[in-house]
Amino acid sequence: KEVGEAFELGIRTVIVFPKVPEEQKSIGGEESCNPEGLVPKVIRAIKEAHPEVNVWTDIALDPYSSAGHDGVVVNGEIVNDLTLAALAAQALSHAKAGADMVAPSDMMDGRIGFIRRVLDDYGFTNVGIVAYTAKYASSFYGPFRDALDSAPNTTDSTIPKDKKTYQMDPANATEALVELDLDEDEGADFLLVKPGLPYLDIVRMLKDNSSVPIAVYHVSGEYAMLKAACANGWLDEREVVLETMLCFKRAGASAILTYYAKDIAKWLSETKR
């Protein structure tokens, strides 16, 4: 239904995030690569109903992890290399289901190259990769994590209480350039910045230093702030949202991931009349 409504409004790209039941979660996130799991089923359904729609999928373990982390947790640590194999298996299951682009949001070292090699080895050379190049350890993700129940498990003292060991320090801008070089060299087709509005300088930095298109994620906390302010009558929702999107474009974004997509499409169609 959501994709059909978006398609009618002229939106041709969607991204899929899963919310899975607690009983399907495990410390290794094995459900993430189930070919009959939620995301592969959704991909196939979208492609059957709307074959023209470009389907992106999130690649990470946190929705499937009983620890709530993007990587495999062993003895209280995120194990990078074990995680790479799991992420590649997840990406492969999505490619087999018909995904056009996979978007690793996990921030593990070397995952873009690892996933690219696995996809190529299985013949999915045309499936692209959206690299979360600059994903910051931000406080703006709260509503999304609540909706997907993907925050770190704080009831177990052996599990890291946050994601700061693998997501980026909000004070560090130059690390984005290091990640840019790595992701480009490993075969990324898009470089993504997350969150969006507080990190416009990072969007511009990547744009100025790469020929790969830049995407930006207008995250749940940013969306919630605008919704709350507009609900209280403090801001004009249409005007402030369109200004926000304009700022993303001005900073250098070629693609914008936003929960306002359908609203924006409606507003823009009204403007053209």
Side-chain angles (χ1 to χ4, degrees):
K1 179 185 173 184
E2 285 290 331
V3 174
E5 291 176 359
F7 186 82
E8 290 300 316
L9 290 167
I11 296 167
R12 294 295 180 265
T13 300
V14 298
I15 185 165
V16 178
F17 294 92
K19 177 177 173 59
V20 301
E22 285 298 317
E23 60 268 21
Q24 293 182 354
K25 296 183 180 183
S26 63
I27 199 67
E30 286 81 6
E31 178 64 18
S32 65
C33 58
N34 180 0
E36 296 303 319
L38 177 60
V39 172
K41 286 181 179 178
V42 169
I43 297 168
R44 290 192 290 266
I46 293 172
K47 284 296 187 180
E48 182 177 350
H50 302 285
E52 308 94 333
V53 169
N54 188 39
V55 178
W56 294 13
T57 63
D58 180 57
I59 302 297
L61 298 187
D62 53 337
Y64 307 91
S65 168
S66 55
H69 276 283
D70 296 65
V72 178
V73 180
V74 177
N75 296 325
E77 294 185 359
I78 312 298
V79 183
N80 194 92
D81 292 354
L82 278 179
T83 302
L84 296 186
L87 296 171
Q90 183 182 12
L92 183 60
S93 72
H94 294 182
K96 288 179 177 179
D100 298 288
M101 303 278 277
V102 294
S105 62
D106 56 285
M107 294 300 287
M108 299 297 121
D109 293 338
R111 89 273 200 212
I112 302 303
F114 197 102
I115 291 171
R116 182 74 273 161
R117 288 190 294 273
V118 169
L119 291 177
D120 289 352
D121 287 346
Y122 280 85
F124 294 103
T125 56
N126 291 328
V127 173
I129 299 179
V130 182
Y132 279 59
T133 297
K135 181 179 181 179
Y136 285 87
S138 171
S139 298
F140 283 93
Y141 305 145
F144 178 92
R145 289 180 178 171
D146 288 345
L148 267 66
D149 191 21
S150 61
N153 182 352
T154 56
T155 63
D156 187 338
S157 61
T158 67
I159 294 173
K161 62 181 177 61
D162 56 43
K163 302 187 178 187
K164 293 181 180 179
T165 59
Y166 50 95
Q167 294 181 357
M168 291 169 56
D169 180 354
N172 192 336
T174 55
E175 186 182 359
L177 294 177
V178 176
E179 297 292 341
L180 178 156
D181 289 340
L182 291 170
D183 289 347
E184 274 193 336
D185 289 346
E186 292 177 24
D189 300 290
F190 263 93
L191 307 176
L192 186 142
V193 177
K194 180 182 180 183
L197 206 58
Y199 294 87
L200 291 182
D201 58 323
I202 307 300
V203 176
R204 172 47 59 185
M205 182 188 297
L206 297 193
K207 178 67 173 179
D208 288 344
N209 287 277
S210 178
S211 59
V212 176
I214 310 302
V216 63
Y217 194 151
H218 184 227
V219 302
S220 59
E222 299 172 75
Y223 174 79
M225 287 194 302
L226 290 182
K227 277 291 185 184
C230 296
N232 278 284
W234 300 333
L235 297 172
D236 180 308
E237 188 169 26
R238 180 186 185 279
E239 295 304 314
V240 77
V241 171
L242 292 179
E243 181 179 344
T244 299
M245 299 304 123
L246 178 64
C247 292
F248 289 141
K249 295 293 288 184
R250 188 192 66 228
S254 298
I256 303 168
L257 282 66
T258 176
Y259 305 103
Y260 268 115
K262 291 199 300 181
D263 294 309
I264 293 166
K266 290 175 185 175
W267 293 330
L268 292 178
S269 67
E270 292 165 0
T271 302
K272 292 176 183 177
R273 291 173 188 166

